[in-house]
């Protein structure tokens, strides 16, 4: 591509990526050195490569593909051999069955020889889009060397003949065909290898997409032909012991899947949508054990406050946060620590996520009349020392939990509030008497989950002055003194094969631990607002969730972006 320097630079100025002065400077240098302006920008400027490529695509009026966000269609990958993709530096990312067209990312979308060669080789129409060379190389590695595509591609070849595919027979013969079983097995194997917590199989008008929640973020990893959707869902329903012919109502089921030494329980949920049934599978590892409080990310005064609260013989400890913030894992860590032969621990959960030896775990069953409230009432006749109630969500459960704490039991539970201080007004809202809350509440823990920076590709950088000032302002007296004299360095992940190019690997929790002190007890009795309780707790040493996140950022565990994503209020 031979683009006149002025046209490309004008486009970058228009897109507000360069000032006019910078554009004039780059134009003069590229003319003096007699090299294409885009090559000079790639090598010498601080501009993001993707912004330059987008501007080239706009200038030349050609399609552009961002391979970092665009899902890779396994059908398209299966139509272009790996050797050809590497030789010509192209990556197939989408197949359109109606047009019989393969869309490919390429560094030179004007290369007619590639189009002619691939059209003869595949017998399909070829459409090239401009892509970043680095992204193309990374995506070729991902699509052909690892993950889902190779196995799924082979299974699809067996299942869908080259004549354009056939309608799926929903009889047992089709459902139990080896290719469909292989695809389901490959999807689950990949979910375990990639440490996914959930797998979403979602029907769309022309395809079925498979997304994985890895380290809390949904990532699309696979695109399947719509023709196999019904057979795929039926296979999962059979494994989960659901009714395969019932498609009008949601269903729930579960099954166990084992690969090598790892065994996982899968909780399966189906939901009818306009394009077909959607399936979500929640993965619960049976192997690997429960993390300790230190491994979760608790340390210093926060850990000390929790240890003091759980050492009491009676009282209530609450954990708050939205769905998926790790509340259950923290509760299991605490129970594992308290689990001794001399203690009777009983749990009431919805559902039981991990089974812990030595603990009596009960799953609620509302259809049979076993709710949090009825279960808790019968627990008190079972001589427990410690009780875990999965969630306090109504007046009856609230009053029974307080009653249990008043009669000498240590009670743990979760509550849906955004921070620790608003848990107290929420309890009052649920019908608890302020004087009873004051006498039994020991501590409230609020938490969120951040992604950890990948240790294999972590790099240090010096943040801009606004970020430094923000860290200083948020941390206040907690800001380490040594950064007054030496430069502040933060970490980020560059992206590598270990972390699937995300820059993050694994997760860590950030916490806010509110101790219920005598002064806070007085405020509870006076029914003061959550904000006033928080201000008082801060005076008494409360480390806010955002502060804990920033401290973990300074330690190089996570990034500012992650903390702000989960804890910005």
């Amino acid at each position: 591509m031979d683009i006149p320097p002025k046209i490309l630079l004008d486009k970058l100025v228009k897109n507000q990526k360069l000032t006019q002065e910078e554009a004039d400077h780059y134009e003069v240098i590229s003319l003096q050195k007699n090299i294409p302006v885009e090559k000079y920008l790639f090598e010498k400027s601080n501009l993001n490569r993707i912004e330059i490529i987008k501007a080239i695509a706009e200038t030349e009026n050609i399609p552009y593909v961002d391979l970092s966000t665009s899902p890779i269609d396994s059908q398209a990958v299966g139509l272009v051999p790996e050797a050809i993709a590497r030789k010509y530096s192209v990556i197939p990312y989408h197949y359109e069955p109606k047009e019989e067209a393969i869309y490919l990312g390429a560094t030179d979308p004007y290369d007619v020889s590639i189009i002619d060669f691939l059209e003869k080789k595949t017998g399909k129409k070829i459409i090239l889009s401009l892509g970043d060379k680095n992204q193309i190389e990374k995506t070729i590695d991902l699509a052909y060397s690892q993950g889902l595509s190779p196995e799924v591609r082979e299974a699809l070849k067996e299942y869908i003949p080259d004549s354009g595919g056939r309608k799926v027979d929903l009889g047992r013969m089709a459902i139990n065909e080896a290719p469909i079983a292989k695809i389901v097995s490959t999807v689950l194997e990949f979910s375990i290898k990639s440490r996914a917590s959930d797998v979403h199989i979602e029907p769309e008008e022309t395809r079925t997409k498979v997304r994985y929640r890895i380290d809390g973020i949904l990532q699309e990893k696979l695109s399947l032909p719509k023709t196999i959707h019904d057979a795929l869902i039926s296979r999962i329903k059979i494994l989960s012991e659901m009714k395969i012919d019932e498609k009008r109502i949601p269903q729930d089921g579960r099954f166990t899947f084992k690969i090598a030494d790892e065994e996982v329980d899968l909780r399966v949920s189906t939901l009818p949508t306009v394009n077909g049934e959607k399936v979500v599978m929640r993965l619960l590892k049976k192997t690997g054990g429960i993390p300790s409080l230190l491994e979760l990310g608790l340390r210093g005064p926060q850990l000390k406050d929790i240890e003091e609260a759980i050492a009491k013989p009676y009282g209530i400890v609450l954990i708050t946060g939205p769905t998926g913030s790790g509340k259950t894992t923290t509760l299991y860590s605490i129970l594992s620590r308290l689990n001794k032969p001399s203690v009777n621990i009983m749990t009431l959960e919805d559902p039981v996520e991990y089974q812990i030896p030595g603990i009596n775990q009960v799953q609620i069953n509302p259809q049979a009349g076993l709710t949090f409230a009825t279960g808790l009432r019968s627990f008190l006749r079972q001589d427990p020392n410690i009780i875990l109630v999965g969630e306090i969500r109504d007046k009856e459960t609230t009053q029974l939990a307080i009653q249990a704490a008043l009669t000498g039991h240590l009670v743990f539970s979760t509550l849906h509030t955004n921070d620790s201080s608003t848990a107290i007004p929420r309890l009052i809202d649920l019908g608890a008497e302020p004087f009873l809350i004051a006498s039994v509440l020991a501590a409230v823990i609020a938490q969120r989950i951040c992604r950890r920076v990948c240790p294999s590709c972590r790099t240090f950088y010096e943040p801009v002055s606004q970020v430094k000032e923000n860290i200083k302002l948020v941390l206040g007296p907690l800001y380490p003194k040594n950064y007054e004299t030496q430069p502040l360095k933060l970490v980020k992940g560059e992206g590598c094969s270990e972390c699937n190019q995300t820059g993050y690997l694994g997760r860590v929790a950030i916490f806010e631990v509110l101790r219920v002190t005598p002064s806070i007890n007085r405020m509870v009795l006076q029914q003061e607002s959550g904000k006033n309780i928080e201000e008082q707790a801060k005076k008494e040493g409360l480390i806010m969730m955002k502060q804990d996140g920033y401290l973990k950022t300074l330690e190089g565990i996570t990034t500012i972006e992650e903390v702000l994503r989960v804890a910005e209020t």
Side-chain angles (χ1 to χ4, degrees), residues 548-559:
D548 187 40
Y550 276 22
L551 289 169
K552 286 185 170 92
T553 300
L554 294 181
E555 288 174 46
I557 296 169
T558 187
T559 63

Side-chain angles (χ1 to χ4, degrees), residues 325-354:
S325 59
K327 300 188 295 292
T328 307
T329 305
T330 303
L331 282 172
Y332 282 150
S333 296
I334 292 170
L335 290 188
S336 298
R337 186 157 183 155
L338 297 172
N339 191 9
K340 299 188 195 85
S342 58
V343 174
N344 180 18
I345 301 177
M346 304 194 71
T347 78
L348 194 59
E349 303 171 61
D350 178 23
V352 173
E353 292 196 8
Y354 300 94

